[in-house]
Amino acid sequence: MSKDAKFNSALVSRLVNTVMHCGKKTVAQRAVYGAFDQIAAKNPASNPLEVLQRAVDNAKPRLEVKARRVGGATYQVPLEVPPDRQFALALRWLVDFADSRKGIPLREALAAEILDAYQGQGNAIRKRDEVHKMAQANKAFAHFRW
């Protein structure tokens, strides 16, 4: 995994790539670095990279459900999420929910979403809890995993 130029971090590079639309990497970098500046302004004592790392760790799902067809019926089977997919889902949720905050620039929305996830609240954490609840509700079908 390549590291980004400013922070020399693979995590920031993945975040930039998740934010990026239509191959416009410089636009995505501006949004991400602007969000980091805002995080640093709101939390002067903490490092924005550590805030992002904690936010992603808080938003990572441990379990998810996958549809399995067994004998004509479709069951929602709970499965453990591989580490790389946990990471990808957490970043995607952070970016998607930041994107859905209308009326404010992406850098501000992304900073707010990251800070919310860092504190264990916000939309990405709610989404993780929903996914976990769904897996918990369907654990009777866990024997269908293969």
Side-chain angles (χ1 to χ4, degrees):
M1 182 82 226
S2 64
K3 298 183 178 197
D4 81 303
K6 190 170 182 181
F7 291 95
N8 197 26
S9 161
L11 175 60
V12 176
S13 179
R14 290 267 304 254
L15 180 61
V16 166
N17 288 341
T18 307
V19 170
M20 182 169 53
H21 286 292
C22 302
K24 303 218 174 247
K25 188 167 252 177
T26 53
V27 174
Q29 283 173 334
R30 228 175 297 140
V32 170
Y33 296 154
F36 272 24
D37 292 342
Q38 294 214 336
I39 290 169
K42 287 178 185 169
N43 283 10
S46 61
N47 177 1
L49 269 178
E50 290 167 13
V51 171
L52 177 64
Q53 183 64 54
R54 265 274 298 287
V56 168
D57 287 342
N58 288 346
K60 280 182 186 176
R62 311 285 176 251
L63 296 168
E64 68 178 342
V65 292
K66 273 217 164 116
R68 289 268 192 259
R69 283 190 55 84
V70 179
T74 304
Y75 298 107
Q76 295 289 326
V77 179
L79 298 169
E80 287 184 11
V81 184
D84 201 49
R85 180 161 168 77
Q86 286 181 3
F87 205 69
L89 284 172
L91 285 177
R92 188 180 318 152
W93 292 341
L94 284 170
V95 170
D96 285 349
F97 287 120
D99 223 3
S100 66
R101 289 186 183 206
K102 294 297 173 209
I104 57 174
L106 180 61
R107 67 177 172 275
E108 289 175 23
L110 192 58
E113 200 61 50
I114 289 169
L115 283 170
D116 281 351
Y118 174 71
Q119 291 158 358
Q121 54 200 28
N123 293 328
I125 302 298
R126 204 183 68 236
K127 176 76 171 173
R128 182 207 60 197
D129 291 343
E130 272 174 35
V131 167
H132 282 179
K133 214 176 287 176
M134 184 79 121
Q136 197 64 31
N138 288 295
K139 76 176 177 198
F141 304 121
H143 65 282
F144 285 126
R145 74 175 147 219
W146 61 77

